[in-house]
Amino acid sequence: NIIDSLLSSRPPGAIILHAGEPGHEPPREVAEAVARALERHDPSLYAYSPALGLPELREAIAEDLRSEGVGVEASQVAVVPGSTAGIYFALAAILDPGDEVVLTDPTFMMYEPVVASLGGRVRYVRSRPEDGFQPDVEAIKEAVGERTKAIIVVDPDNPTGRVLSPEASRALAEVAEDAGAYLIVDEAYRTLVYEGPRSPPARYGESVVGIGTFSKDPGVPGLRVGYVYGPTEVVEGLRLLAEHAYFGASNLSQLFALEYLRWPGRRAFLERVVAEYRARRDAMGEALAEMLPGARFERPRGALYYFVDLSAYAGDSEALARELAARHGVTVMPGTAFGRSYRSWVRLTFATGSPEVLREGVRRIAQALAAPPS
């Protein structure tokens, strides 16, 4: 409802700081390769796809994951029509009514509604800003019960931009393994890391289910292609669901993903994209520190977001989001979209817009919060 409110109340010319749609162009070389396939009128593009995706794409995804130290075979990969579908169908393959899922607070807004729609229950465990939003592993261990089927984390995180420490990755994988549960890791932003290495949890346990997407990298969210990887029984469960729910992802979208993974220019392209987002991130961080000195935030190590505590200025982020959209020409996402403990927080994205536009967006927020910090 809050998202609908933001979209309906924003005036023309609003600066969009609430949506995580990537703001970089997909590689033209990859698009041209797909266009050539269309010109050849290849009949395979118009056929049904195998339920788990094109075999060559599944192998290419597995090879890409192995380059990060994740031991996965093509048979353990399922291609899905977008990672949001992957989230839904992975949970559908795992959960029975009455089962429980442990979520961090804050976390991406989609998980709780999906769990509820499948008859499951959620247990929240707060991640604290003073810990850099690293998951509280001991509290998660305590939250795991007899009906716990899954623990879900995002890495890099949405909304906080936190990247899991190697210690947290290993510990979470071990907690899930010991509990006979799955650790589901949403890896939508796995290539958008700005400092330091990333340690995928799948390196440390056999009960890790990874969910990835081509929406953020290479930046084609409208093509709706993602993937799930993990234990064989989860992938086989996805196969059964795919055969009855969507009959395979789009062949054209899968071809784009395959050409991208095979493209020799991918590494250089990613370096340029990461450098561009890093510059936007730094510009937004500098603007926040300068124009909202009472705000509390951590510079994100990954993903496309700042998670900002504005309690020195305002206590109700939902009311603030409506006010900013309706009267000040800037949209933000209230912290309540991501959990229960962050009512005075907002998520700001640097996914789109130049550094100058991002600074102007922060200026408009500061102007709206003209009262001095308390």
Side-chain angles (χ1 to χ4, degrees), residues 86-96 101 111 114-115 118 150 152 184:
I87 291 166
Y88 185 91
F89 288 109
L91 283 167
I94 290 170
L95 296 182
D96 292 318
V101 174
Y111 307 124
V114 170
V115 172
L118 296 169
I152 302 178
I184 299 177

Side-chain angles (χ1 to χ4, degrees), residues 21-352:
E21 185 168 345
H24 65 273
E25 275 196 4
R28 189 171 297 275
E29 295 89 338
V30 176
E32 289 170 350
V34 175
R36 288 192 294 271
L38 285 169
E39 288 174 353
R40 291 194 300 270
H41 212 57
D42 185 341
S44 68
L45 290 176
Y46 312 112
Y48 287 120
S49 173
L52 291 179
L54 300 175
E56 54 267 48
L57 177 56
R58 296 172 68 197
E59 178 54 52
I61 291 168
E63 183 178 345
D64 191 48
L65 292 166
R66 288 194 294 269
S67 73
E68 293 188 346
V70 175
V72 62
E73 301 299 324
S75 61
Q76 296 172 278
V77 176
V79 181
V80 291
S83 61
T84 50
I87 291 166
Y88 185 91
F89 288 109
L91 283 167
I94 290 170
L95 296 182
D96 292 318
D99 285 342
E100 294 181 345
V101 174
V102 177
L103 298 179
T104 60
D105 178 9
T107 194
F108 182 49
M109 63 191 71
M110 182 177 175
Y111 307 124
E112 183 173 11
V114 170
V115 172
S117 75
L118 296 169
R121 295 192 296 266
V122 164
R123 291 190 181 190
Y124 276 103
V125 175
R126 186 168 182 258
S127 299
R128 295 183 296 269
E130 53 267 31
D131 296 331
F133 291 105
Q134 291 291 333
D136 186 334
V137 176
E138 288 304 313
I140 287 173
K141 187 185 296 185
E142 291 178 9
V144 170
E146 291 183 0
R147 295 301 303 269
T148 301
K149 283 289 186 66
I151 302 162
I152 302 178
V153 293
V154 190
D155 182 47
D157 191 36
N158 176 6
T160 70
R162 177 268 300 133
V163 176
L164 286 176
S165 68
E167 296 78 13
S169 285
R170 182 186 295 275
L172 287 169
E174 290 174 352
V175 168
E177 198 106 11
D178 291 345
Y182 295 101
L183 175 63
I184 299 177
V185 186
D186 185 334
E187 299 180 324
Y189 304 92
R190 73 180 178 93
T191 58
L192 301 182
V193 177
Y194 307 113
E195 283 95 24
R198 175 176 171 266
S199 298
R203 291 178 183 173
Y204 306 113
E206 297 183 358
S207 59
V208 176
V209 177
I211 300 174
T213 181
F214 292 93
S215 293
K216 316 300 179 184
D217 163 22
V220 287
L223 292 188
R224 308 313 303 141
V225 59
Y227 56 89
V228 176
Y229 69 90
T232 301
E233 68 271 14
V234 175
V235 173
E236 285 304 307
L238 271 166
R239 181 198 299 276
L240 293 174
L241 291 164
E243 288 173 347
H244 293 88
Y246 55 85
F247 246 46
S250 158
N251 281 330
L252 187 63
S253 297
Q254 291 188 76
L255 176 61
F256 190 102
L258 179 61
E259 292 287 352
Y260 177 65
L261 291 175
R262 289 176 170 175
W263 179 42
R266 183 187 177 209
R267 183 177 296 276
F269 169 79
L270 265 177
E271 289 175 355
R272 291 194 302 272
V273 167
V274 169
E276 181 180 336
Y277 283 134
R278 185 185 292 114
R280 295 181 192 176
R281 178 202 66 171
D282 292 347
M284 177 174 274
E286 290 166 6
L288 286 166
E290 172 190 338
M291 301 176 195
L292 290 166
R296 180 168 58 143
F297 60 90
E298 293 283 336
R299 187 170 72 166
R301 279 190 54 215
L304 297 170
Y305 312 102
Y306 275 90
F307 201 47
V308 184
D309 179 10
L310 294 176
S311 58
Y313 302 94
D316 185 345
S317 60
E318 292 185 12
L320 175 63
R322 286 189 287 266
E323 172 77 8
L324 290 172
R327 297 174 182 256
H328 298 276
V330 61
T331 61
V332 305
M333 190 67 78
T336 50
F338 305 100
R340 304 178 179 186
S341 304
Y342 295 94
R343 188 161 190 82
S344 64
W345 295 62
V346 296
R347 190 195 72 177
L348 309 179
T349 180
F350 49 90
T352 58

